[in-house]
Amino acid sequence: MADYLVDLRDVRFLLYEYLGVERLCGYEKYREFSKEVFDMVLDQALKLAKEVIAPINDVSDRVGARFEKGKVSFPKEFHAAYQKYCEGGWLGVSVDPEWGGQGLPKTVSLATSEFFSGACCAFVMTPGLTHGAGHLFETFASEELKAIYVEKMYSGQWAGTMCLTEPQAGSAVGDVKTVAVREGDHYKITGTKIFISSGDHDLTENIIHPVLARTPDAPPGIKGISLFLVPKFRVNPDGSLGEFNDVHCGNIEEKMGIHGSSTCTLNFGDEGNCIGYLVGEENKGIVYMFQMMNEARIGVGLQGLALGAAAHQQALAYARERIQGVDIRVMKDPNAPRVPIIEHPDVRRMLLFGKAVTEAVRGLLMKTVFKADLAEVTTDDAEREKCNGYLELLTPVCKAYASDMGFEVSINSIQVLGGYGYCREYPVEQYARDAKIMSIYEGTNGIQALDLVGRKLAMKGGTLYMNFLGDLNKFIESHKSDPKLGKYVSAFAEGKTLLEEASNIFMTKSLTGDMLYPVSHATPYLRMFAEVVCSWVLLEQAVIAQKRLDQILQEKGAGDEAQQKKVIAENDEARFYAGKISSMRFYVTQILPDVKAKLDSIKSEDRTVLEEGTLF
Ligand SMILES: Cc1cc2nc3c(=O)[nH]c(=O)nc-3n(C[C@H](O)[C@H](O)[C@H](O)COP(=O)(O)OP(=O)(O)OC[C@H]3O[C@@H](n4cnc5c(N)ncnc54)[C@H](O)[C@@H]3O)c2cc1C
């Protein structure tokens, strides 16, 4: 099986040269850290990802989670890896030291998550969900519950899940029927949850479920949902494990991918003996759960990035080695030397698609999460509000675009490998199968598009969107006359204007009571939005890269084009910066024009989608 490959140089570029993440160390919360510490964390994470987690990706796929005699087991190789993962404190990279975590910025944690998820995405789901559930309880549970559960979850001793979905309540989460009846200081829980990732397994001695349920007198819909902490095994007052809490796994799903993740049907209270503890107040469960859902949405986008990036690296390595055909300019010469496929223009097109999209998505996710870090430390109220606004606005874009692109880049990478890409000998077909779920779980991408169009654009009187546009305009003003990059900035400015036009059409339609028309175009609109924001993110990076490249060329005395090409071919750093500019050029010229076609469709006034009788 091929080695797991990661673009660490790009991760470092984004952290230090693009975002300047080390400036967080100037704030009290992160004053004990430095760039050197961040680098050490990245190196250690990558070592673990390559040496311990990537080797179990194959067994994760071939053996997967098993369900026998009512119990779920993970492949035995998962156990040693999980122990090392927890011993290294990787579950709590960004967790507050008060709860036993390392207290690092979320942006650094995100970078380590890419390494782990790309190495074996199914394996990382258990610790990922445990972190999210732990944070949910840390934020909203009572002091008593926190004291018992939170630290043991953050250390990985006990695992966590996320229990929303029921047979009749998938996207429509407000339709959950699981019942919680008060009984003294706790509630009796009865109901069935389906599709629960890591709902049962043998990695940990206990599993703690955050469960959405309704009390008997709760109002209907989303406003009648409460959140409960439901352990698999009850916990005695001294913290030791007590009796089984009547949470049975009925089955696990056979799936297209992520075989190493158990997707469980969980029956709560089959024997009338399942108890749960209320988290926060009754009927406010969905408000609390949104914290975990929003974090998970970024996390799922990150999974998409990780798999797309890993697939692209495989395709790149393969294309350098695989010899096939001759240079098209000498195709009639039977004696022409055979070339590696990376020299064929169509293969280069596919590889540049993988590179440009991966770098764009990585930049988008890191920029968004960095806003969350800044929001936490800044003392400036206006900056905090703006950062939080970015996070709100961009979360559905991160989730949907990154997951769609993770799948597309994986499929594209299969194509680069040709027939071998379709075979199990190379990992790209597994990356594609594993990546597909990411556009479905954690709110399908259709639901993300509705969130962007129906909620986020108009949120706080449209200020989130206006602030975002304001920043795009500032960037355009500052760089439109750049002698080298100006023409790409102009193309981006045009794309941004088209996005504004689409937003204005939606606003006018909504104001005139025609909300169905925007809703029917929400998914292409989200794609337009993502392509504009990704162009911006790549252009911001290109501005930095161009400066650095010019500096190197000047230092090397490379005046004419031939000398510059030689320096770029021979110098790793010059090649990296030139590569960054190429990614931007490819994205802005080959992908961004898509927004024009999408706007044409939005402007068409065609209502085929909405009419009766168009589907048989
Ligand atoms: C492998 C796996 C792991 C999962 N892990 C978890 C987990 O850990 N915890 C958990 O709670 N759930 C989990 N889920 C459930 C997952 O979140 C749901 O499958 C998802 O939310 C969609 O629900 P559904 O499958 O019922 O599809 P449906 O809701 O039936 O949707 C079907 C299609 O209709 C569309 N649709 C539905 N409603 C609307 C609407 N109002 N407007 C527009 N389009 C709509 C959807 O976008 C989708 O394309 C998991 C699922 C899988 C397959």
Side-chain angles (χ1 to χ4, degrees):
M1 194 37 91
D3 284 347
Y4 171 48
L5 303 171
V6 168
D7 189 352
L8 181 61
R9 180 67 187 90
D10 192 47
V11 171
R12 287 210 167 106
F13 172 81
L14 291 174
L15 285 175
Y16 306 129
E17 294 169 74
Y18 178 47
L19 299 173
V21 77
E22 62 273 34
R23 74 190 141 107
L24 290 172
C25 306
Y27 293 94
E28 179 60 24
K29 183 166 184 199
Y30 299 116
R31 81 185 148 78
E32 283 171 22
F33 297 115
S34 61
K35 181 170 179 286
E36 288 67 37
V37 175
F38 296 158
D39 269 336
M40 209 173 64
V41 170
L42 293 181
D43 289 343
Q44 289 301 317
L46 194 52
K47 188 168 154 41
L48 187 81
K50 286 191 167 187
E51 293 176 6
V52 176
I53 301 177
I56 63 174
N57 201 31
D58 190 42
V59 79
S60 166
D61 193 45
R62 284 170 199 252
V63 177
R66 293 279 165 92
F67 181 68
E68 277 158 359
K69 296 184 187 149
K71 289 198 175 1
V72 180
S73 59
F74 280 143
K76 63 177 181 346
E77 292 82 353
F78 272 37
H79 292 256
Y82 186 73
Q83 202 181 338
K84 286 198 174 138
Y85 185 92
C86 294
E87 277 169 8
W90 295 108
L91 207 149
V93 175
S94 60
V95 166
D96 195 322
E98 188 198 338
W99 296 104
Q102 298 189 44
L104 282 147
K106 293 179 179 41
T107 319
V108 177
S109 172
L110 187 83
T112 66
S113 297
E114 182 190 330
F115 304 159
F116 299 140
S117 285
C120 180
C121 128
F123 167 78
V124 185
M125 287 186 65
T126 304
L129 284 156
T130 303
H131 175 273
H135 192 214
L136 182 64
F137 297 139
E138 181 197 331
T139 314
F140 300 110
S142 65
E143 293 303 321
E144 292 89 321
L145 287 177
K146 284 202 274 193
I148 298 170
Y149 292 96
V150 172
E151 204 159 339
K152 286 196 164 115
M153 293 180 77
Y154 281 148
S155 70
Q157 186 180 341
W158 295 348
T161 65
M162 184 178 191
C163 295
L164 282 69
T165 307
E166 297 178 10
Q168 77 296 340
S171 300
V173 75
D175 290 345
V176 297
K177 284 185 182 159
T178 295
V179 175
V181 180
R182 193 179 187 113
E183 199 183 73
D185 69 343
H186 58 258
Y187 290 67
K188 274 274 166 73
I189 310 288
T190 351
T192 296
K193 297 281 176 186
I194 61 164
F195 291 158
I196 304 307
S197 300
S198 305
D200 197 23
H201 54 78
D202 56 354
L203 271 190
T204 54
E205 61 187 19
N206 205 359
I207 303 175
I208 317 303
H209 306 285
V211 176
L212 290 186
R214 47 178 82 250
T215 52
D217 52 354
I222 215 99
K223 292 193 172 148
I225 294 178
S226 305
L227 174 64
F228 298 89
L229 182 156
V230 183
K232 175 176 171 181
F233 288 97
R234 295 183 193 172
V235 180
N236 298 320
D238 65 356
S240 61
L241 292 191
E243 64 176 299
F244 179 63
N245 192 32
D246 193 12
V247 183
H248 290 272
C249 178
N251 199 4
I252 65 172
E253 304 295 335
E254 295 284 332
K255 309 188 293 290
M256 172 179 174
I258 56 164
H259 298 155
S261 168
S262 56
T263 307
C264 308
T265 298
L266 289 184
N267 298 313
F268 294 87
D270 266 1
E271 291 144 23
N273 199 24
C274 174
I275 64 170
Y277 305 95
L278 180 68
V279 175
E281 293 173 38
E282 277 186 15
N283 300 332
K284 292 201 173 156
I286 200 70
V287 179
Y288 308 142
M289 193 46 111
F290 253 105
Q291 173 184 291
M292 186 171 182
M293 281 153 69
N294 280 329
E295 288 172 358
R297 284 171 183 185
I298 298 285
V300 170
L302 186 275
Q303 289 183 321
L305 162 70
L307 293 187
H312 168 65
Q313 290 297 321
Q314 290 296 329
L316 189 60
Y318 183 87
R320 287 192 178 116
E321 299 290 321
R322 168 72 174 164
I323 307 291
Q324 195 71 193
V326 298
D327 184 321
I328 194 160
R329 287 165 293 192
V330 290
M331 64 185 282
K332 291 202 174 135
D333 174 3
N335 296 317
R338 271 47 193 161
V339 296
I341 59 170
I342 197 167
E343 292 189 16
H344 299 312
D346 191 53
V347 174
R348 299 181 71 76
R349 175 193 60 75
M350 291 190 277
L351 290 171
L352 266 162
F353 173 81
K355 174 172 157 56
V357 166
T358 300
E359 290 176 14
V361 168
R362 189 182 283 122
L364 168 65
L365 288 170
M366 283 215 179
K367 188 180 175 85
T368 305
V369 171
F370 189 54
K371 297 283 181 196
D373 275 328
L374 284 175
E376 265 187 26
V377 293
T378 182
T379 47
D380 178 342
D381 291 346
E383 190 190 11
R384 185 178 318 106
E385 197 166 338
K386 197 171 163 196
C387 286
N388 282 328
Y390 256 91
L391 195 58
E392 289 274 12
L393 184 69
L394 294 184
T395 293
V397 181
C398 287
K399 194 282 174 178
Y401 189 64
S403 59
D404 277 345
M405 289 299 108
F407 182 62
E408 275 190 40
V409 172
S410 302
I411 294 288
N412 178 71
S413 302
I414 293 176
Q415 196 70 16
V416 172
L417 271 75
Y420 287 107
Y422 194 67
C423 298
R424 282 202 149 192
E425 189 183 341
Y426 288 88
V428 284
E429 63 85 31
Q430 185 190 342
Y431 290 142
R433 284 186 289 107
D434 286 353
K436 185 58 211 137
I437 184 59
M438 287 143 206
S439 63
I440 297 169
Y441 60 24
E442 215 25 76
T444 63
N445 286 358
I447 298 294
Q448 302 303 319
L450 290 181
D451 182 41
L452 177 66
V453 169
R455 284 184 64 226
K456 301 295 170 66
L457 286 184
M459 204 179 229
K460 299 197 174 159
T463 49
L464 275 50
Y465 173 64
M466 295 315 289
N467 281 340
F468 164 73
L469 278 186
D471 285 351
L472 300 193
N473 288 333
K474 265 188 235 155
F475 176 82
I476 291 165
E477 271 314 301
S478 306
H479 298 283
K480 66 182 181 198
S481 311
D482 184 305
K484 291 185 177 144
L485 304 175
K487 72 173 183 175
Y488 303 103
V489 176
S490 300
F492 161 64
E494 201 184 321
K496 184 223 59 161
T497 306
L498 301 181
L499 177 69
E500 281 180 277
E501 216 180 306
S503 313
N504 292 341
I505 292 173
F506 283 4
M507 244 170 271
T508 313
K509 293 275 179 204
S510 301
L511 288 173
T512 53
D514 183 6
M515 53 102 69
L516 278 182
Y517 191 79
V519 158
S520 70
H521 283 92
T523 291
Y525 175 84
L526 184 144
R527 180 61 67 94
M528 283 179 84
F529 200 110
E531 286 166 350
V532 169
V533 73
C534 282
S535 298
W536 177 43
V537 165
L538 284 178
L539 269 162
E540 286 187 317
Q541 295 176 41
V543 169
I544 298 162
Q546 187 70 61
K547 250 190 226 151
R548 302 265 204 273
L549 178 61
D550 289 347
Q551 237 168 344
I552 297 174
L553 294 175
Q554 201 184 11
E555 279 163 20
K556 304 276 174 195
D560 64 33
E561 207 183 315
Q563 288 169 331
Q564 292 181 356
K565 274 192 177 155
K566 189 164 179 290
V567 171
I568 290 170
E570 289 169 359
N571 182 300
D572 284 350
E573 283 298 276
R575 205 168 45 251
F576 173 77
Y577 293 124
K580 284 259 92 172
I581 298 161
S582 310
S583 297
M584 177 280 292
R585 282 168 47 207
F586 182 89
Y587 198 98
V588 169
T589 59
Q590 313 295 310
I591 297 177
L592 182 64
D594 176 53
V595 300
K596 167 85 172 63
K598 298 253 181 309
L599 178 66
D600 285 349
S601 143
I602 290 172
K603 279 161 74 174
S604 70
E605 292 287 340
D606 183 76
R607 301 178 79 86
T608 311
V609 163
L610 298 170
E611 281 163 11
E612 296 278 334
T614 48
L615 285 168
F616 300 95

